Amino acid sequence: MLTLEDARKALAKGSVIIFAGPCTVVYEGRATSRLGVGERLVLIKKDRSILVHRPTGHEPVNWQPAGSMIDFLTENGLPVIRASNANELLKISFTAQPSLMVFDLRDTAEFEMYASEEDMKKAVLAKPSLVEPGFKPLEEERQVKRTGRVDILGLDALGRLVVVELKRKPATPEDVRQLSAYVESLNSEFGRKPRAILAAPSTTKAARREMEKTSVEFRCLTPRRCMQVLREAKGLDSYL
Amino acid sequence: MLTLEDARKALAKGSVIIFAGPCTVVYEGRATSRLGVGERLVLIKKDRSILVHRPTGHEPVNWQPAGSMIDFLTENGLPVIRASNANELLKISFTAQPSLMVFDLRDTAEFEMYASEEDMKKAVLAKPSLVEPGFKPLEEERQVKRTGRVDILGLDALGRLVVVELKRKPATPEDVRQLSAYVESLNSEFGRKPRAILAAPSTTKAARREMEKTSVEFRCLTPRRCMQVLREAKGLDSYL
């Protein structure tokens, strides 16, 4: 059975601490919130961020960011957690002895985030040379008669119309056929056949065979590369 | 020592489950993310929301909202958690046996959130009758020479200038003096003395004595009432 003294040591040591039990929660800061008695989990992390979780909902009901001043006190023989910073105070008062758990967690892995197709489109619009040098986007999500929406319509360095279709997964024969259908539709609409570029991280073998039968060109473009471009373009933090 | 079978039963029963141990995390959905091996906490709640927490940071590194399909599997003798919905899959694969904890938490308390002074101002602008019938706000945060900023400047039902100062805590003598200073400044600026209203949930005794010496009027306005007004005005969810 761990005690508050163990929690203090764990906090000093940089362990992750969980309290589980019935408590009330008061927050005073920019606004004020009060939460009556209920059974909750309180997580205190290595960086002194603190989260109060109810049994439902993916959001914590209260939380304080990293760097809070955290104190473990006792009021009427029961634990009280105070987490504060310059302008805010979060006070968690247990109404019965909580369970207390301590975990020494080591985690140095890098979180890798890869873009969606929508993100890939944003990256190409931010940096059209991802498709090819001299590519100029004209229109995105253009409706093509009866066949769907083209990701990006643009002009190449020689002024020829180019249809670009973006895929975040290996291109399939179905992707090639879809793009060929756009080419035919745009051909009948404009009276000239556009170039067609399928930009994806790779292709399946079947897709490569399908491409040999058509005029669809392949361009290697990974979601990861797009993410880098977006990151450079506006800073990942503001982007995510 | 709890087993995956215990976790399955706990999930069916609506308990909160925590896994603590080294794992990798893959998310496939609108975007893709990958997180290499590290020691983490995985919380699964009663409503089948799921959170993956690293030892630092107040945000989960991955999560899925309530209503996910959650399965506990075994791969190479180690637990794997799959949380999915129509378009997304979160897969957490442990690389060593995790600790497994189960909590039966009951929590029916209402979360009460009270507004900040900025929120109170928004509420008065949305519903000026909170100050008094016929009140018309003209300007907010008006700079008053050498004395500060007035929360709201407006006209009463008879067309007289009114200065409104909002406080979310019981009004103090200092608040009364501040408002009196605004009155004097505006008097010299406009050549007529505005009415002054201090709107707060209550006053201290000392503030009441101070008010008797001045022309400052008191209006009872609670942050809670303001929160209700904002909630009605645009729905609390979109507001918060």
Side-chain angles (χ1 to χ4, degrees), chain B residues 125-140:
Chain B
L125 295 174
K127 188 174 183 170
S129 64
L130 285 174
V131 170
E132 64 181 24
F135 177 64
K136 287 199 191 85
L138 289 178
E139 200 175 337
E140 47 172 319

Side-chain angles (χ1 to χ4, degrees), chain A residues 30-34 39-40 45-47 51 53-55 57-58 61 106-107 109 112 114 116 168, chain B residues 30-34 39-40 45-47 51 53-55 57-58 61 106-107 109 111-112 114 116 168:
Chain A
R30 198 194 69 92
T32 299
S33 74
R34 272 163 221 290
E39 293 173 331
R40 289 148 205 152
K45 291 191 170 185
K46 199 182 172 71
D47 59 3
L51 306 161
H53 272 286
R54 309 185 76 170
H58 68 268
V61 64
R106 251 186 253 180
D107 182 0
E112 297 181 276
Y114 307 102
S116 65
R168 54 189 294 275
Chain B
R30 197 193 69 94
T32 298
S33 73
R34 271 162 223 290
E39 293 173 329
R40 288 148 203 152
K45 291 191 171 185
K46 198 182 172 73
D47 58 3
L51 305 161
H53 272 287
R54 309 186 77 169
H58 68 268
V61 64
R106 252 186 251 178
D107 182 1
F111 182 71
E112 298 181 277
Y114 306 101
S116 65
R168 54 188 295 273

Side-chain angles (χ1 to χ4, degrees), chain B residues 2-203:
Chain B
L2 296 177
T3 64
L4 270 199
E5 193 47 39
D6 296 314
R8 282 187 201 103
K9 281 180 196 159
L11 186 70
K13 198 179 146 200
S15 303
V16 173
I17 305 167
I18 299 181
F19 289 82
C23 59
T24 62
V25 186
V26 173
Y27 164 78
E28 290 279 351
R30 197 193 69 94
T32 298
S33 73
R34 271 162 223 290
L35 183 60
V37 182
E39 293 173 329
R40 288 148 203 152
L41 296 176
V42 179
L43 264 77
I44 301 170
K45 291 191 171 185
K46 198 182 172 73
D47 58 3
R48 302 190 177 215
S49 52
I50 179 166
L51 305 161
V52 183
H53 272 287
R54 309 186 77 169
T56 57
H58 68 268
E59 298 270 11
V61 64
N62 283 104
W63 61 274
Q64 287 285 286
S68 296
M69 286 265 296
I70 294 179
D71 291 309
F72 300 122
L73 314 169
T74 308
E75 282 180 14
N76 307 317
L78 292 168
V80 170
I81 305 172
R82 282 171 55 100
S84 58
N85 59 37
N87 306 306
E88 295 173 298
L89 172 65
L90 182 66
K91 185 178 172 187
I92 302 156
S93 307
F94 288 93
T95 57
Q97 286 300 340
S99 305
L100 176 51
M101 289 144 284
V102 165
F103 304 90
D104 288 306
L105 301 181
R106 252 186 251 178
D107 182 1
T108 56
E110 198 190 338
F111 182 71
E112 298 181 277
M113 173 82 173
Y114 306 101
S116 65
E117 281 163 14
E118 183 61 30
D119 296 329
M120 291 179 77
K121 196 173 69 184
K122 284 181 196 157
V124 168
L125 295 174
K127 188 174 183 170
S129 64
L130 285 174
V131 170
E132 64 181 24
F135 177 64
K136 287 199 191 85
L138 289 178
E139 200 175 337
E140 47 172 319
E141 298 294 332
R142 185 193 175 88
Q143 180 68 48
V144 177
K145 276 172 202 149
R146 283 183 306 279
T147 38
R149 289 180 181 280
V150 160
D151 283 339
I152 300 177
L153 201 61
L155 297 177
D156 70 11
L158 300 176
R160 289 173 298 191
L161 198 64
V162 185
V163 197
V164 180
E165 186 68 15
L166 300 162
K167 295 290 169 192
R168 54 188 295 273
K169 296 196 171 167
T172 64
E174 187 43 51
D175 296 332
V176 180
R177 283 191 288 269
Q178 183 190 22
L179 194 39
S180 296
Y182 290 160
V183 167
E184 292 315 315
S185 282
L186 290 164
N187 187 14
S188 61
E189 185 174 348
F190 291 103
R192 56 178 170 150
K193 203 166 181 169
R195 283 177 61 205
I197 296 179
L198 184 54
S202 61
T203 69

Side-chain angles (χ1 to χ4, degrees), chain A residues 17-231:
Chain A
I17 305 167
I18 300 181
F19 289 83
C23 59
T24 61
V25 186
V26 173
Y27 164 78
E28 291 280 349
R30 198 194 69 92
T32 299
S33 74
R34 272 163 221 290
L35 183 60
V37 182
E39 293 173 331
R40 289 148 205 152
L41 295 176
V42 180
L43 265 75
I44 301 169
K45 291 191 170 185
K46 199 182 172 71
D47 59 3
R48 304 192 175 211
S49 53
I50 178 166
L51 306 161
V52 183
H53 272 286
R54 309 185 76 170
T56 57
H58 68 268
E59 297 270 10
V61 64
N62 284 103
W63 61 275
Q64 287 285 286
S68 296
M69 286 265 296
I70 293 179
D71 292 308
F72 299 122
L73 314 169
T74 309
E75 281 180 14
N76 307 317
L78 291 168
V80 170
I81 305 171
R82 281 171 55 100
S84 58
N85 59 38
N87 305 307
E88 294 174 298
L89 172 65
L90 182 65
K91 185 179 173 187
I92 302 157
S93 308
F94 288 93
T95 58
Q97 285 300 342
S99 306
L100 177 51
M101 288 144 285
V102 166
F103 304 90
D104 288 307
L105 301 182
R106 251 186 253 180
D107 182 0
T108 57
E110 198 189 338
F111 182 72
E112 297 181 276
M113 172 84 173
Y114 307 102
S116 65
E117 282 164 12
E118 183 61 30
D119 296 329
M120 291 178 77
K121 196 173 69 184
K122 283 182 197 157
V124 168
L125 294 173
K127 188 173 182 170
S129 65
L130 285 174
V131 170
E132 62 179 28
F135 177 63
K136 287 200 190 87
L138 290 178
E139 201 176 338
E140 46 172 319
E141 298 294 330
R142 185 194 175 89
Q143 181 69 48
V144 177
K145 276 170 201 149
R146 284 184 306 279
T147 40
R149 288 179 181 281
V150 158
D151 283 340
I152 300 178
L153 202 61
L155 296 177
D156 70 10
L158 300 177
R160 289 172 297 190
L161 199 62
V162 186
V163 197
V164 180
E165 186 68 14
L166 300 163
K167 295 289 169 193
R168 54 189 294 275
K169 294 193 173 171
T172 63
E174 186 43 51
D175 296 333
V176 180
R177 284 192 286 271
Q178 183 191 21
L179 194 40
S180 297
Y182 291 160
V183 167
E184 292 315 316
S185 282
L186 290 164
N187 188 14
S188 61
E189 186 175 346
F190 290 104
R192 54 177 170 152
K193 203 164 178 170
R195 283 177 61 206
I197 296 178
L198 184 54
S202 61
T203 70
T204 63
K205 273 191 187 173
R208 229 167 301 146
R209 281 196 299 271
E210 190 70 27
M211 264 184 252
E212 283 162 16
K213 291 192 252 165
T214 67
S215 58
V216 170
E217 302 164 50
F218 176 70
R219 185 76 64 250
C220 177
L221 183 62
T222 61
R224 188 175 198 173
R225 175 76 187 105
C226 291
M227 212 61 188
Q228 285 172 344
V229 167
L230 290 173
R231 201 184 302 222

